[in-house]
Amino acid sequence: MAKGLPKTIGKLRASGYQVVSVKQEMRRNLMQKIRTGEELFSDIVGYEESVIPQLENAILSGQDIIFLGERGQAKSRMIRSLVSLLDERVPAIAGCEINDNPYRPICRSCRDRVAEEGDNVEIAWLEPEQRYGEKLATPDITIADLIGEVDPIKVAEGRYLSDELTIHYGLIPRTNRGIFCINELPDLAERIQVGLFNIMEERDVQIRGYRVRLPLDVCLLVTANPEDYTNRGRIITPLKDRYGAQIRTHYPRRVEHEIGIMEQEMYRFDDADYEVIVPQYMKEIVAEITRLARRSPDVNQRSGVSVRASIADYESLLANALRRAIRIGEREVVPRISDLPYVIPAISGKVEFETVEDGREEQILEKLIQGAVVAVFNRYFNVVELEDVVIRFKTGLSVEVSDTLRSPEYVKMNRQVTGLNRAVAKLDTEGKPPLVASAVEFILEGLHLNKRLNKDRVAGRVQYRG
Ligand SMILES: [Zn+2]
């Protein structure tokens, strides 16, 4: 406990401390942050003009919020970052399971203590993290889990009734005076939703047939998949009506945002011996794979394709590039087109396929990768400008590349093929062989996908020919 803070109810009162509701507290602190220009969600990319203003307005108006969005749209992260709107410390009655307001306790035990000890009742100071809770909704969650349970022995003894009941508190009361988030709300059984509505709106709830008054002070946030949400009957209407704001989250709308998140979130190691250099086009390809997956009819769009797919793909791509660099004794780690098949294990776990046909998944992913490469290639080049390269191949040239081929081999190729040099130069290789290698592969594959070069796979290598 911090020094100098009042330790009893009496001292708290003497200090003039005012207890405000959690929504008032969040609103006040948000206003302060807006006033000082402090960014509320500095690590959330791409929501500056869409989601964040709506969220701030919802907090300023004290509304309960439903976040609607597919998986991997930073919903949980945004909700957790709302903890930063809580005061550094707030007082609660010490030892209370539900963080009772020292001036107006609601639990039986605190009211008894205040009646007996008055102003001498001790208080504790809660930190923001202690005032946040969340739960993934599942059909088997009960009222006891979320709200509470009455003690069956005491009920049998007939000792308590109504708000005199002794309650074993569930998750939401334990987050009293804080923020509680229920993820995937539509998965809660209807009966539980009714209980939730009662606690929010009527401030009482039926437990084992007893009407229990529970005037909680909770900022209750929920998330839902848009399709479940619009599905009739998945959320009971009164509960739906209770929420003041529906905020629709989305995937990054721009490639730069997808790349920004990828780079921010990827797992980083400190390998002093190796320098990782990722050409911009390789980043764009990774982002584009995810973006194409989000539009693919073969991918289940209800589940969506999380930014986590981009992050995992990016990590796998760099891992293969590192593995090669170690093996062939190069210091610079630069991913190439021939590293792309190694993202398949990463993305496979991140998308759900519409088809159930075994083995088709890999084909679908290969197509997505090819689609991404050609889309990015066509942003950088017009095949017409590479016609001299194509002609060189038409006269009988062929080259072999692979994910284990040493970079100087590509430098030779680059010299050998008329016109290739000029195209490679456009990609800013700083004269570094591993960057030349990556550029050469990008151009050859781009020409192949534009049907200007043929490609064969031979024993783990790829051959391009006219
Ligand atoms: Zn209490």
Side-chain angles (χ1 to χ4, degrees):
M1 196 193 295
K3 278 185 197 150
L5 292 170
K7 294 186 176 69
T8 63
I9 291 180
K11 287 190 174 136
L12 185 72
R13 192 174 283 121
S15 77
Y17 186 95
Q18 301 281 320
V19 174
V20 297
S21 74
V22 62
K23 282 183 180 172
Q24 268 177 289
E25 175 186 338
M26 291 167 72
R27 179 177 191 272
R28 183 232 295 141
N29 292 337
L30 174 62
M31 286 166 70
Q32 178 61 17
K33 280 178 198 264
I34 294 172
R35 218 176 281 132
T36 58
E38 187 184 333
E39 262 189 86
L40 182 50
F41 306 100
S42 51
D43 62 342
I44 291 176
V45 180
Y47 279 175
E48 297 81 356
E49 283 154 22
S50 50
V51 173
I52 291 172
Q54 293 178 23
L55 176 54
E56 292 185 344
N57 290 348
I59 294 165
L60 291 177
S61 49
Q63 289 168 334
D64 293 300
I65 308 165
I66 294 190
F67 291 86
L68 291 180
E70 289 79 14
R71 67 175 167 187
Q73 294 183 343
K75 296 189 291 290
S76 304
R77 174 178 295 206
M78 260 189 308
I79 289 169
R80 277 183 210 132
S81 62
L82 292 178
V83 170
S84 69
L85 291 179
L86 297 176
D87 285 352
E88 264 173 61
R89 283 165 203 283
V90 295
I93 294 182
C96 176
E97 287 179 339
I98 61 170
N99 310 326
D100 260 330
N101 174 347
Y103 301 147
R104 269 189 301 162
I106 53 179
C107 85
R108 180 78 246 158
S109 118
C110 285
R111 282 186 291 151
D112 289 348
R113 272 166 69 192
V114 170
E116 282 165 33
E117 301 168 40
D119 275 0
N120 293 327
V121 171
E122 272 186 37
I123 58 176
W125 291 83
L126 306 175
E127 292 178 18
E129 288 304 324
Q130 295 171 282
R131 301 167 62 202
Y132 175 76
E134 62 178 25
K135 181 77 182 157
L136 175 66
T138 51
D140 60 341
I141 286 180
T142 61
I143 287 281
D145 297 328
L146 275 192
I147 298 167
E149 175 68 303
V150 295
D151 189 326
I153 296 167
K154 296 201 167 127
V155 171
E157 288 170 354
R159 280 168 57 186
Y160 301 105
L161 273 178
S162 182
D163 60 349
E164 302 296 308
L165 284 167
T166 303
I167 303 169
H168 293 300
Y169 291 106
L171 291 166
I172 296 176
R174 284 172 192 277
T175 324
N176 186 31
R177 300 179 60 220
I179 300 170
F180 193 79
C181 169
I182 300 175
N183 286 307
E184 303 303 332
L185 177 71
D187 288 343
L188 277 190
E190 198 169 299
R191 200 166 50 78
I192 314 302
Q193 293 187 31
V194 171
L196 202 58
F197 172 75
N198 288 339
I199 208 83
M200 288 171 77
E201 193 66 27
E202 324 281 347
R203 308 187 144 239
D204 58 24
V205 66
Q206 294 269 345
I207 300 178
R208 287 180 180 260
Y210 291 90
R211 204 178 158 106
V212 180
R213 217 180 116 62
L214 212 51
L216 298 175
D217 170 26
V218 180
C219 174
L220 195 59
L221 305 167
V222 300
T223 73
N225 188 297
E227 225 168 285
D228 292 342
Y229 183 74
T230 47
N231 216 335
R232 254 154 104 80
R234 294 293 300 266
I235 300 184
I236 60 163
T237 310
L239 187 58
K240 223 180 216 180
D241 288 345
R242 177 66 175 71
Y243 280 86
Q246 274 180 40
I247 298 180
R248 182 71 166 94
T249 57
H250 54 82
Y251 289 123
R253 292 192 172 133
R254 309 209 325 231
V255 183
E256 308 91 85
H257 291 156
E258 187 95 28
I259 293 174
I261 297 170
M262 247 160 65
E263 295 204 302
Q264 177 180 291
E265 303 296 319
M266 70 172 286
Y267 197 87
R268 276 172 210 282
F269 295 90
D270 194 12
D271 298 320
D273 298 342
Y274 295 92
E275 186 191 0
V276 178
I277 311 169
V278 187
Q280 181 63 22
Y281 54 86
M282 291 305 295
K283 295 178 191 172
E284 288 178 38
I285 288 168
V286 173
E288 197 64 38
I289 294 169
T290 307
R291 294 164 70 81
L292 289 177
R294 287 183 193 135
R295 296 201 298 266
S296 166
D298 294 316
V299 170
N300 181 327
Q301 299 302 336
R302 187 199 157 279
S303 310
V305 183
S306 163
V307 185
R308 286 188 283 271
S310 299
I311 299 163
D313 288 354
Y314 195 48
E315 290 169 341
S316 302
L317 182 78
L318 296 188
N320 202 58
L322 173 65
R323 200 161 58 91
R324 163 181 54 254
I326 298 169
R327 266 191 170 175
I328 63 178
E330 294 183 351
R331 238 202 111 250
E332 284 126 349
V333 176
V334 182
R336 308 173 178 169
I337 295 294
S338 53
D339 295 322
L340 284 172
Y342 294 90
V343 310
I344 289 180
I347 193 172
S348 293
K350 302 275 183 292
V351 297
E352 273 168 44
F353 294 95
E354 288 290 359
T355 170
V356 285
E357 248 179 278
D358 218 23
R360 262 266 291 157
E361 286 90 347
E362 198 164 318
Q363 268 177 288
I364 294 167
L365 293 174
E366 278 169 8
K367 274 252 178 293
L368 290 176
I369 294 171
Q370 289 175 353
V373 174
V374 75
V376 174
F377 178 81
N378 291 342
R379 274 180 220 154
Y380 283 77
F381 296 102
N382 182 337
V383 280
V384 180
E385 62 183 300
L386 292 161
E387 215 39 46
D388 45 353
V389 178
V390 175
I391 288 166
R392 185 74 179 84
F393 278 91
K394 292 268 184 268
T395 57
L397 176 77
S398 74
V399 298
E400 268 186 13
V401 304
S402 84
D403 75 304
T404 53
L405 189 62
R406 291 169 42 85
S407 299
E409 299 299 320
Y410 291 86
V411 176
K412 270 189 231 163
M413 245 178 255
N414 190 28
R415 266 192 235 116
Q416 208 181 0
V417 185
T418 325
L420 189 55
N421 207 326
R422 206 182 53 243
V424 167
K426 229 179 130 174
L427 295 174
D428 194 19
T429 57
E430 308 161 32
K432 290 183 172 161
L435 279 164
V436 173
S438 180
V440 166
E441 282 202 11
F442 179 46
I443 293 162
L444 295 177
E445 182 70 6
L447 286 172
H448 163 65
L449 293 173
N450 277 293
K451 302 191 165 45
R452 307 297 294 147
L453 292 182
N454 287 302
K455 175 180 169 182
D456 305 301
R457 284 173 214 263
V458 200
R461 294 188 299 274
V462 165
Q463 186 187 56
Y464 292 100
R465 55 181 177 79

